[in-house]
Amino acid sequence: MTLITRPRCFGKTLNMSMLEAFFPWSMQTRQICRLIADLYNQNWYLIEKDVLRDNEKEDFIKITNKKIAMTEEEASTSLNNLASYLYRYYGKKVIIILDEYGYGDRKEEIKSW
């Protein structure tokens, strides 16, 4: 999985700030959870190809059904797990690129992930 955003100074952070002003955080969280669930659904072949262990299959199926209710920890863990599953299937490292939005304010929190 490769998530590529626009280059620096392209207006990503400004756009994120504008969206945050118009939409409550809970709405953004729901959209992120829906996106993660959609990513899992797009990679359903991982279950069919026997790449996952039984407990991982259970977790995979749970994530596909969590289009709204997912904690931040579950969202973070689910992305990490999906990257691990894709590495196992393709044998190549998975790159997830995120915008550095809010990094200065949340540096310690991000380090703990």
Side-chain angles (χ1 to χ4, degrees), residues 14-79:
L14 176 63
N15 197 15
M16 294 281 289
S17 298
M18 184 178 65
L19 288 173
E20 186 175 30
F22 286 104
F23 298 109
W25 177 248
S26 61
M27 181 179 284
Q28 292 175 26
T29 304
R30 277 183 271 155
Q31 290 171 343
I32 291 169
C33 294
R34 209 171 293 134
L35 175 64
I36 292 170
D38 289 344
L39 283 172
Y40 269 72
N41 281 313
Q42 289 171 15
N43 292 285
W44 187 260
Y45 60 90
L46 295 171
I47 287 184
E48 296 168 348
K49 299 288 184 179
D50 288 330
V51 174
L52 309 177
R53 298 175 191 97
D54 289 338
N55 62 325
E56 292 172 335
K57 287 180 182 180
E58 291 172 16
D59 292 341
F60 195 101
I61 292 167
K62 286 179 190 174
I63 296 298
T64 61
N65 296 324
K66 286 192 172 194
K67 292 197 174 197
I68 294 177
M70 192 183 302
T71 66
E72 285 184 38
E73 183 180 343
E74 287 175 316
S76 175
T77 302
S78 65
L79 283 175

Side-chain angles (χ1 to χ4, degrees), residues 94-113:
V94 176
I95 299 171
I96 300 173
I97 301 174
L98 301 173
D99 183 17
E100 70 276 2
Y101 174 75
Y103 179 77
D105 300 334
R106 301 177 63 195
K107 188 183 288 185
E108 292 306 315
E109 182 183 339
I110 292 169
K111 282 183 184 177
S112 69
W113 290 354

